[in-house]
Amino acid sequence: MTEPTILACDGVHKHFEEAGQRLEVLRGVSFDVHRGSDLPDQVRSVLRTSIRTGHARADQVAAIFSMHARTLNRHLNEFGISFRALVDEGRFEIAQQMLQSSAMEVAQIAAMLDYADASAFTRAFRRWSGTTPARWRSTRRNP
């Protein structure tokens, strides 16, 4: 079975390499989860890179913070947010960037964001924005 070609656009390969390098740096950073109010922002920061590199599972992100996934979820729930919600925020942010600044097809973006198929991504994008990725792109792209 072949993987979808998601590196077809100029600069996308470099983007993934840089994201991987940032994730490696993050693995060596000590996050202070006891400072409290910063935890959701710290997780968002890690997810910006982790989503792009395919390492956005709860257990993978929790390991960066030296804790179990259930502990991370418990801490996030204290702030009224879930890990899943933070992943969705990150996916939406990346989807918007890719739709606006690249010529990647919706199916390629869906694969990059680890959706099963383009229709699952389209449903999620519609839930986030109220419109389809194609319509969103057409209204925001530079002429």
Side-chain angles (χ1 to χ4, degrees), residues 62-92:
I64 292 171
F65 291 92
S66 300
M67 65 178 71
H68 192 277
R70 282 180 277 173
T71 304
L72 177 62
N73 271 317
R74 190 173 59 251
H75 286 302
L76 290 171
N77 286 335
E78 291 172 4
F79 292 96
I81 195 157
S82 68
F83 181 77
R84 174 67 18 222
L86 292 176
V87 170
D88 280 349
E89 283 179 21
R91 282 174 151 180
F92 183 48

Side-chain angles (χ1 to χ4, degrees), residues 3-98:
E3 302 248 342
T5 305
I6 61 173
L7 303 176
C9 297
D10 291 339
V12 174
H13 180 70
K14 182 179 178 191
H15 175 78
F16 279 111
E17 285 180 351
E18 290 171 357
Q21 291 168 355
R22 286 191 303 270
L23 184 59
E24 288 304 315
V25 168
L26 286 173
R27 289 183 196 280
V29 173
S30 173
F31 288 94
D32 185 6
V33 296
H34 302 291
R35 290 193 331 203
S37 64
D38 293 336
L39 181 62
D41 288 335
Q42 290 175 357
V43 173
R44 281 182 186 98
S45 178
V46 169
L47 284 171
R48 281 186 195 99
T49 300
S50 299
I51 290 169
R52 288 180 173 102
T53 60
H55 296 94
R57 290 192 337 250
D59 61 327
Q60 294 168 321
V61 173
I64 292 171
F65 291 92
S66 300
M67 65 178 71
H68 192 277
R70 282 180 277 173
T71 304
L72 177 62
N73 271 317
R74 190 173 59 251
H75 286 302
L76 290 171
N77 286 335
E78 291 172 4
F79 292 96
I81 195 157
S82 68
F83 181 77
R84 174 67 18 222
L86 292 176
V87 170
D88 280 349
E89 283 179 21
R91 282 174 151 180
F92 183 48
E93 180 183 315
I94 294 167
Q96 289 174 310
Q97 291 170 356
M98 298 309 295

